Structures are given as C-alpha cells and as structure tokens.
Amino acid sequence: MITSRAKPLYQTLSALVFRNYNARTKRVPSGPRHSRRPERPTTSPRRESPYRPRIKLLRRPIPFVTDVKEIDNPDDAISLFHEYREMGFKHDYPSYSALMYKLSRLRNFEAVKTLLLHIREHNVRCKEALFVALIQHYGKSRLPEEATNLFREMTSFNCGRTLQSFNAVLNVLVDNGRLEDASEMFKCSSEMGFRPNSVSFNIMIKGWVERGELEQARQVFDEMLEREVQPTVVTYNSLIGYFCKKGDLDRANDLVDDMTRKGKHPNAVTYSLLMKCLCSLGKYKEAKKMMFDMEYRGCKARLVNYGVLMDDLAKRGLIEEAKVLLLEMKKRRIKLDVVMHNILINYLCKEGRAAEAYKILVEMQVQGCEPNAATYRMMVDGFCRVEEFEGGLKVLSAMLTSKHCPRLETILCLVKGLVKCGKVNDVPFVLEEMEKKKMRLDLESWEVLVRDACGEDGGTSSVVTERILAN
C-alpha cells in the first residue's frame, strides 16, 4: 500500500525536476560543465592589446656608397664622386669614408690625402674607425711614416684618439721593422693620455720576440705585471713561440704550465706552436698525438693544428699522406679553408705537379671554398715552372675576373713563356691588364721582353715596343 502511493509521488517529483532542468538549459548557453560554479572576479579582467610585430627599421642604402663598392679603378671611383656632386648629391661622412676605404685598398694614397684636406676644410666630422682603417692600409703598403703622421693629425679632424688608434699605429711600426720608434711611442703613451692595455703590451712583446731579443721581451712582460695588466693567452703564445722556434720544447712547456697555474688555458694556437716544434724535431707522430690529446684537455682541434701536420707532410714530400689527412678531416666534418688547400697546392706546384694542383683548385671551388690571391699566384707560377703557359694564362684570366692582382714577376714570366711558345696573340691581353692595374715593369724587364720577342718572332717586337712607349 505504501509502495503504490509512493510511485505516483516519485513520478510527480521526477516530472518537476525534469521540467526545471529544461527551463535552466534554455537560459544557460552550452559550454563545458563544471562540478563547481566558478567565483565571479572582483575586478574587471585586464584587456590585452593585440600583438603587433615590430617593424625593424633598416637604414636606407646610400646610392653613392653602394655604387662605389662595385668599382675597382681608383680614377673611376673619383669620377663617380664628382658625378654625384654635379647631380646635386650632398656628400657627407659615409660618402667620404666609403671613397677613402676604396682608394686606400687600391693604394691611391695621393687621392686619400686630397680628400682628407677637403674634409678638414669643410669640417666634416669623422669617426675614429676611418683613421684606424687608413693607418692599417698605410702599414700594409709599407708606409709607416704616413701612418704615424696621420695618427698625430687626427685631432685636427675633430676626431678623438683612443687606445684603438694608438694600438693600430703601434702595430704598424712593429710590423714594418720600426721597433725602436714603436718603443719610443710606447714610452710616451702616458704623455699622450693613454694607459697601455694588454693589446699594447702584446704588440711590443711580439716585436721583440720576432727580432729574437728575448731579454727585451721579458722586460716588457715584467713591466706589464708591474702595471697590473693581466697577461693574456696571446702574451704567453708570443713567448712560447720564441722557444718553439729555437727548438727548446722544455722551456716552452714550462710556460704552458705557468699560464695554466695562473688560470689561463692554452688555446689551439698554443698547441699548434708546440706541434710545430715537435715536427721540426722530427717527431711527427708525437705532434699528431698531441692534437688528439688536446681535446681531452678541453681544447678542440682547429684548422691551424691540422695545418701544422699538413705542412710537415708536404715539406717532406709525402703528398699522398697529406691527401689522406685531408680525407680524414672531411670524415670528421671539419670544413677546409683556403689555407689548407693552399698548403697542398703550393708543394704540388713546387714539385712540378701543376696539373694535380689545378685539380685541387677546381675541387675546392666545387666545395664552395673560394681561392684567394695566393692560390692563383701559386697556380700561375706552377704552370710557368713546367712551361704550361696556356694553363697559366687560363688561371690568370680567372684571377683577374675574381678581382685579384698578380705579381709583376709572375706576369713577366708568363709573357716570356707565351712569346717563347709562339702564343703571340695572347701577349697584348696580359700587357693591357697590367696597364689597367697600373703595374709597371722596370727597364731591365722590358729589355728582356724585347730581346725574347725579337729572338723568337720579329712581329711580336712591335707589340712590345708599343707597350714600352705607352709606359
């Protein structure tokens, strides 16, 4: 009886609950159901601004600067400068600096001086980087006096001098054998307002070491410690290199131990110096073992270390072993640079195997390694040595296309060879390229060319004579 009454009551309650549920579901939007109703936030949510990617502002390229970089002739560069001015373009520091970089690379320092005077007269504010670059180019051109004068005149161009320019001129003097002048400038550094840093001391130590005066290098090293300037790995490498050249491996190793105790870890150059010393003592296997042991000491072997082994093998005429070493490097996924290829090309050419050297030249280009001026010069000389002058002319043409400059001795040898083998029609091309590069043969060299030309083919003498008159 109780059950029969409860059943209709249960059905009535179920109907009410179901009706109430339907009513609620119509008002509440569909979405994820939660077991607990989330609390209403007391503060309004912070509106996030939509993501806007930042536009990287790039400097608009200066037309003159872009154009002058493509020019290889100094006269054309100066003409372009004047053409832009006539068109109403106002030259400022970027234009002047780009032109002077170009002219200094092309060794036209007279034009550089003229531009510097113009800059001074018109009060064009220059950066120190320009003067540092010019000082370095003076040094490469064996003009240390000009570099020193420019350094002294920098302040007249409304440009301050720092240790960067001081070290640049110091290095130029050392590299050009003017060590006494460099030493005098170094002593006067305080009067000029400079406090020498580790780079300054390293330059002086390098100079005395290269001259073989260890005692002077030691004095500079002691002064470095007195002034509380910390020696660097480069400092130690200069001294280690001195003992390695003398074959004194024990004293070199003592310096390595000393630098390690002072918290300076040997780098790849340090080990390359020790390896070179071992090779000079006829201990190639020990040198190779050192290269692999250095990795266990936390220093990864670099190209300079493989270069020592390659150079030793090539010197001893073990060309095939050198090629095996190249393959070993490729297996270790070490990217070969132009220097490594040049070592092999150089010794192959010296042994009269120019054809094999040329194959390596082609292979390196296929692998994406561009030859440098030294590569082309060695190849031209190599072909001339075995009297394959057509091959030499082919390489010379590629060299000129790559905007590299041959040596005068190379051109003279090639022209003589072309005349000798009857390739007269190719001679004017070489001489014309000489004129474009403003390269001049001395009178004795022209006499040799005329003598060879007249001896082999009278018709050639007229071509050579025209070039003599033109020069």
Side-chain angles (χ1 to χ4, degrees):
M1 191 69 179
I2 295 173
T3 306
S4 61
R5 287 180 181 177
K7 189 173 181 180
L9 180 63
Y10 174 76
Q11 290 175 348
T12 305
L13 289 171
S14 298
L16 287 170
V17 170
F18 184 75
R19 195 179 301 116
N20 187 34
Y21 173 76
N22 284 338
R24 287 178 62 189
T25 54
K26 286 180 183 178
R27 290 194 302 267
V28 180
S30 61
R33 298 173 184 173
H34 302 279
S35 57
R36 184 181 176 184
R37 187 175 180 180
E39 294 179 2
R40 183 176 293 177
T42 55
T43 57
S44 58
R46 185 178 178 182
R47 289 187 178 182
E48 293 185 4
S49 58
Y51 172 72
R52 293 179 182 177
R54 290 184 178 181
I55 300 172
K56 202 170 184 179
L57 296 174
L58 299 175
R59 287 185 179 180
R60 184 179 296 177
I62 301 170
F64 171 75
V65 174
T66 305
D67 292 342
V68 80
K69 288 178 180 178
E70 303 298 322
I71 293 176
D72 298 318
N73 188 296
D75 295 333
D76 292 342
I78 295 169
S79 298
L80 183 70
F81 182 83
H82 291 303
E83 285 174 14
Y84 266 84
R85 177 182 283 173
E86 289 170 4
M87 290 188 293
F89 182 80
K90 186 179 179 181
H91 291 293
D92 52 5
Y93 172 70
S95 299
Y96 285 109
S97 61
L99 182 57
M100 280 194 282
Y101 284 140
K102 177 63 68 175
L103 293 173
S104 59
R105 287 195 196 100
L106 298 171
R107 305 292 189 263
N108 192 338
F109 293 110
E110 288 302 318
V112 169
K113 287 181 180 179
T114 304
L115 278 172
L116 286 172
L117 289 172
H118 185 80
I119 283 173
R120 183 188 284 163
E121 288 172 5
H122 290 78
N123 198 26
V124 178
R125 189 175 181 83
C126 298
K127 296 180 181 178
E128 187 186 23
L130 170 63
F131 292 97
V132 170
L134 292 176
I135 287 168
Q136 290 170 343
H137 281 295
Y138 275 129
K140 290 175 184 176
S141 302
R142 301 293 176 188
L143 297 169
E145 198 67 42
E146 298 290 344
T148 308
N149 291 337
L150 182 62
F151 172 73
R152 288 171 179 161
E153 294 173 2
M154 277 178 62
T155 51
S156 67
F157 291 93
N158 198 18
C159 178
R161 300 183 303 186
T162 68
L163 265 177
Q164 188 180 3
S165 52
F166 175 78
N167 289 337
V169 74
L170 203 66
N171 193 57
V172 165
L173 291 170
V174 168
D175 287 347
N176 283 274
R178 304 280 290 273
L179 195 53
E180 284 74 17
D181 293 337
S183 182
E184 190 64 32
M185 180 173 279
F186 183 78
K187 289 175 183 176
C188 298
S189 58
S190 299
E191 297 174 14
M192 290 187 281
F194 301 120
R195 186 179 185 274
N197 60 4
S198 59
V199 177
S200 315
F201 282 100
N202 288 343
I203 290 168
M204 294 307 302
I205 290 171
K206 176 190 74 171
W208 291 119
V209 163
E210 286 178 353
R211 188 178 280 191
E213 298 188 26
L214 181 64
E215 190 57 37
Q216 294 286 348
R218 279 285 186 185
Q219 288 179 14
V220 176
F221 182 78
D222 292 339
E223 184 183 349
M224 188 178 191
L225 297 177
E226 287 173 10
R227 294 199 189 187
E228 297 182 350
V229 177
Q230 285 297 317
T232 63
V233 178
V234 176
T235 316
Y236 281 100
N237 283 349
S238 295
L239 298 170
I240 290 167
Y242 172 83
F243 290 116
C244 286
K245 282 182 181 178
K246 297 289 183 182
D248 195 343
L249 192 60
D250 292 334
R251 293 188 71 178
N253 280 321
D254 289 342
L255 279 171
V256 173
D257 294 337
D258 182 57
M259 67 185 288
T260 305
R261 282 195 301 271
K262 292 178 179 177
K264 303 290 186 297
H265 300 288
N267 59 12
V269 176
T270 314
Y271 286 107
S272 72
L273 294 168
L274 298 171
M275 289 168 60
K276 199 169 185 178
C277 184
L278 286 168
C279 288
S280 67
L281 297 172
K283 299 179 179 180
Y284 174 84
K285 289 183 179 178
E286 287 88 338
K288 191 171 184 179
K289 183 177 180 298
M290 178 177 282
M291 188 180 72
F292 290 108
D293 288 346
M294 63 186 277
E295 296 194 8
Y296 291 102
R297 299 176 189 177
C299 183
K300 189 177 180 181
R302 304 288 181 185
L303 283 171
V304 66
N305 305 106
Y306 283 97
V308 171
L309 301 180
M310 180 77 69
D311 190 59
D312 184 67
L313 290 171
K315 276 182 181 176
R316 292 187 285 135
L318 303 175
I319 303 297
E320 298 307 317
E321 285 83 346
K323 288 181 178 179
V324 171
L325 185 63
L326 276 180
L327 291 173
E328 186 179 325
M329 292 173 67
K330 289 177 183 177
K331 287 179 182 177
R332 291 169 67 89
R333 295 184 179 179
I334 297 173
K335 190 175 181 180
L336 304 179
D337 65 353
V338 66
V339 176
M340 294 297 294
H341 289 98
N342 282 355
I343 292 170
L344 204 51
I345 288 171
N346 181 37
Y347 286 103
L348 283 170
C349 288
K350 284 184 177 179
E351 287 196 357
R353 297 161 68 175
E356 290 181 54
Y358 185 73
K359 285 181 182 178
I360 293 174
L361 173 64
V362 174
E363 285 175 8
M364 67 183 281
Q365 287 177 305
V366 170
Q367 293 166 7
C369 181
E370 286 299 318
N372 60 14
T375 317
Y376 287 115
R377 287 168 188 163
M378 289 186 291
M379 278 305 319
V380 176
D381 291 341
F383 276 122
C384 289
R385 190 176 285 113
V386 295
E387 298 188 353
E388 292 183 18
F389 300 106
E390 289 185 42
L393 183 63
K394 184 179 178 181
V395 175
L396 178 68
S397 179
M399 182 181 192
L400 295 169
T401 304
S402 302
K403 300 179 181 179
H404 292 297
C405 188
R407 296 183 306 164
L408 275 171
E409 297 84 358
T410 301
I411 288 181
L412 181 61
C413 179
L414 183 60
V415 171
K416 287 173 64 178
L418 291 170
V419 171
K420 186 178 179 180
C421 67
K423 299 292 181 180
V424 177
N425 294 331
D426 294 324
V427 173
F429 164 75
V430 180
L431 296 176
E432 284 168 9
E433 290 298 326
M434 279 181 60
E435 290 178 18
K436 289 178 185 177
K437 299 287 182 182
K438 295 188 179 297
M439 300 173 71
R440 308 290 184 190
L441 292 176
D442 56 22
L443 184 60
E444 185 180 350
S445 300
W446 282 116
E447 286 176 354
V448 171
L449 284 178
V450 172
R451 193 185 311 119
D452 289 349
C454 292
E456 296 293 332
D457 187 343
T460 313
S461 61
S462 61
V463 176
V464 180
T465 304
E466 286 178 13
R467 300 304 169 192
I468 293 173
L469 294 173
N471 285 271

